[in-house]
């Protein structure tokens, strides 16, 4: 087979005039692949110079960082902001420098048949990477992985260790995603010379640093670069369409095996693309929708090629869930059955580590989701770590996968430069997450100023591009506009709408919620004939504040707002409302303002993941909803009884 044939996203991307270089398969160990994690302590320095450019002027990447000035120890993964006691570092805007020495196994540096790749899970926001002082990568965007092939560098001579330097800039501009602006304050009576602040239009703290795992991994020099899997169902037969892209050699053989959870081969094929048929397939069902949710097969891909040095093999195993997704005027269907989203919006956010990836925190969050009876969440307002998506696949938690397109409210952010970047980000997101069965819809943005004139063309283009990249999933963006003013709504598959009745207006007036919400639902559905998700609603409560009758910021008020929403949702959910996602799963950090009390307190859990009264209310509701929407009632009963707070 000829490797020049693009077997993955390639043709579509070329057709659209854009193309990412290569795939972004999650680095998994296999008989042909090894990994070395670089998590732990790195050396760190923020460039506090006036123009924030001293690091480049003095070329801090050329020699060990400790030689150009004092350094701090900085944990990776973590945001740098909340680790120390320095207020200036917490609020720092500009370049920070990370460095780590790493000793690579001798074989990696001596075997020319080994390809050595440096992979950065995320670096917020703009990153430049050097290895031993040599520039190897640059990446824009704080929430998606990027890589550099460093084989040549580490294999070019005797090497005892290699030095990785990463400069990261958290500055946001009108053309970044999310956008932001730098405001220079020039009044000498009020601000010192050169004073500036970063302004943003989103409601979470702009944490920065190396937020996700950094690692070095290997593949052979002829390697499986990308795999795309889409699935279908024909009666009882599961259909798995695969496309495999190989790099490094023109001539090779590919074999694929689909294994069930017992390790039995249920289908096999050869070549770079094909369809596997699985008789009596176990479908991937969401949590609480089936007695065996989240069934995952393993797709084992085996590559063999002849090189001058002899035969080469590469192996990669991809988890695969067989399921279908479809949208009608009234319904969201998974495996042909109506699916009702009852879940949450989240943030990657916690004490001290900020947006830093943390396994214990992640497992705690998933155990709370399951306790709650939540079957879905939205990755508000940016792509989450790959490990999060993997757990969603494993536990059957359905995901609306959102881009970092949050706070797009300035007219400057609707020009061509922003649009091109948004298209690229959607490419990176689809490339990374396309194979996750848990992902059932893409969200290209949250609450953009979609009433501005250029927003119509902008969202039409971003949505069309996303659909071309992945025709297998619906696309949306999340709005808080009025239905008449929304220029993006004609292009989405599902209307996702946020509202804060009796919170941001009609303060304290719980009695207006039902009427206002019912009117809104009617208007949207009459105008667009599309299913609707209440993609955000909620109220702030400071844990431990109690008032009865309910008063804003008390736990009772938060609960009462939710109850009123639920009454209106119940009137429409059997009709065209297909989901409800509370804002928010947990309290989270924001910028400082008189509207925020050490962050946003709309969590149903505290930032430390302890329940407020609203969590118990939602738990009761979600388990009831699950009970109503189960499709295999008798089989489900016994399973749900184990966890449910109710007797069915
Ligand atoms: C919504 C935003 C969300 C905010 C929330 C709030 O989408 O990011 O945190 O409001 O104000 O409009 O709590």
């Amino acid at each position: 087979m000829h490797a020049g044939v693009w077997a993955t996203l390639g043709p579509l991307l070329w057709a659209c005039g854009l193309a990412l270089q290569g795939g972004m398969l999650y680095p998994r160990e296999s008989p042909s692949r090894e990994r070395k994690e670089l998590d732990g302590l790195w050396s760190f320095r923020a460039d506090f110079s006036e123009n924030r450019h001293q690091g480049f002027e003095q070329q801090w990447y050329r020699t060990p960082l400790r030689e150009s000035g004092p350094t701090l120890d900085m944990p990776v993964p973590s945001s740098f902001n909340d680790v120390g006691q320095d207020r200036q570092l917490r609020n720092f805007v500009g370049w920070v420098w990370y460095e780590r020495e790493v000793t690579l196994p001798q074989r990696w540096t001596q075997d020319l048949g080994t390809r050595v790749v440096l992979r950065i899970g995320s670096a917020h926001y703009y990153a430049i990477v050097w290895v031993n002082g040599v520039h190897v990568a640059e990446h824009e965007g704080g929430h998606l992985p990027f890589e550099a092939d460093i084989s040549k560098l580490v294999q070019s001579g005797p090497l005892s260790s290699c030095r990785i330097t990463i400069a990261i800039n958290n500055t946001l501009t009108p053309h970044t995603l999310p956008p932001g602006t730098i405001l220079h304050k020039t009044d000498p009576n009020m601000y010192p010379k050169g004073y500036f602040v970063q302004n943003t239009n989103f409601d979470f703290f702009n944490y920065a640093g190396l937020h996700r795992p950094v690692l070095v991994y290997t593949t052979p020099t002829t390697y499986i670069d990308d795999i795309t899997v889409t699935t279908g169902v024909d009666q009882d037969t599961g259909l798995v369409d695969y496309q495999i892209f190989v790099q490094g050699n023109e001539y090779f053989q590919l074999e694929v095996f689909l294994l069930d959870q017992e390790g039995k081969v249920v289908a096999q094929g050869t070549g770079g693309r094909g369809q596997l048929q699985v008789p009596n397939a176990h479908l991937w069902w969401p949590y609480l929708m089936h007695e065996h949710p989240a069934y995952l097969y393993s797709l084992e891909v085996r590559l063999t090629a002849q090189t001058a040095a002899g035969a080469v093999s590469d192996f990669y195993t991809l988890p695969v869930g067989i399921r279908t997704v479809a949208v009608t005027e009234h319904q969201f269907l998974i495996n042909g059955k109506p699916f009702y989203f009852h879940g949450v919006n989240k943030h990657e956010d916690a004490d001290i580590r900020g947006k830093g990836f943390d396994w214990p925190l992640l497992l705690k969050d998933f155990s709370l989701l399951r306790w709650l009876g939540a079957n879905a969440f939205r990755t508000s307002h940016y792509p989450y770590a790959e490990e999060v998506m993997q757990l969603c696949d494993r536990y059957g938690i359905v995901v609306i996968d959102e881009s970092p397109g949050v706070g797009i409210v300035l007219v400057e952010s609707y020009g061509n430069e922003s649009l091109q970047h948004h298209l690229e980000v959607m490419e990176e997101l689809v490339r990374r997450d396309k194979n996750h069965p848990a992902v059932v819809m893409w969200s290209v943005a949250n609450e953009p100023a979609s009433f501005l004139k250029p927003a119509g063309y902008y969202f039409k283009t971003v949505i069309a591009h996303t659909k071309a990249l992945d025709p297998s999933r619906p696309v949306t963006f999340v709005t808080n506009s009025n239905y008449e003013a929304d220029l993006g709504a004609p292009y989405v598959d599902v209307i996702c709408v946020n509202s804060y009745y009796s919170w941001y207006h009609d303060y304290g007036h719980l009695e207006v919620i039902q009427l206002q919400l019912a009117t809104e639902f009617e208007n949207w559905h009459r105008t667009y004939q599309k299913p609707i998700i209440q993609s955000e609603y909620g109220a702030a409560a400071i844990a431990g504040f109690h008032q009865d009758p309910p008063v804003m910021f008390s736990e009772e008020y938060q609960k009462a707002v939710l109850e009123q929403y639920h009454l209106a949702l119940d009137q429409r959910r059997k009709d065209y409302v297909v989901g409800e996602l509370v804002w928010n799963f947990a309290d989270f950090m924001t910028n400082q303002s008189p509207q925020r009390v050490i962050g946003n307190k709309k969590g149903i859990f505290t930032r430390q993941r302890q329940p407020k009264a609203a969590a118990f209310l939602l738990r009761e509701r979600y388990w009831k909803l699950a009970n109503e929407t189960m499709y295999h009632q008798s089989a489900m009963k016994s399973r749900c009884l184990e966890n449910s707070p109710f007797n069915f």
Side-chain angles (χ1 to χ4, degrees), residues 84 100 124 176 276 299 340 342 430 457 537:
R100 162 94 194 237
H124 188 71
T176 56
L276 304 178
L299 184 75
Y340 188 77
H342 44 87
V430 173
Y457 172 74
Y537 71 105

Side-chain angles (χ1 to χ4, degrees), residues 204 339 341-348 369 374-384 388-389 392 397-407 438-448 476-480 495-500 533-537 580-586 588 622:
F204 54 90
F339 176 73
F341 295 76
H342 44 87
V344 302
N345 292 274
K346 289 186 91 256
H347 262 302
E348 291 189 318
L369 288 170
N375 63 4
F377 67 78
R378 172 167 68 118
T379 68
S380 43
H381 294 306
Y382 37 80
Y384 293 178
V388 177
M389 311 309 281
C392 289
I397 304 292
V398 163
V399 177
I400 301 175
D401 203 351
E402 187 157 280
S403 91
V406 55
V439 174
V440 299
M441 181 155 66
W442 305 109
S443 163
V444 302
N446 179 69
E447 295 190 355
T476 191
F477 76 86
V478 172
T479 186
N480 65 345
I495 303 282
C496 286
V497 56
N498 298 346
S499 62
Y500 286 91
I533 294 176
Q534 181 69 45
S535 41
E536 282 183 29
Y537 71 105
E580 53 188 82
L581 303 175
V582 74
W583 190 263
N584 187 284
F585 173 73
F588 58 92
Y622 286 177

Side-chain angles (χ1 to χ4, degrees), residues 475-529:
V475 182
T476 191
F477 76 86
V478 172
T479 186
N480 65 345
S481 293
N482 183 287
Y483 70 101
E484 284 169 310
D486 198 309
L487 301 176
Y491 310 110
V492 302
D493 296 307
V494 175
I495 303 282
C496 286
V497 56
N498 298 346
S499 62
Y500 286 91
Y501 297 129
S502 180
W503 186 260
Y504 285 123
H505 50 84
D506 300 303
Y507 316 131
H509 292 289
L510 296 160
E511 62 279 6
V512 301
I513 294 178
Q514 283 190 58
L515 174 64
Q516 293 183 358
L517 189 56
T519 310
E520 181 175 33
F521 284 155
E522 282 306 306
N523 287 336
W524 280 103
H525 194 256
R526 197 187 51 249
T527 313
Y528 296 103
Q529 290 93 46

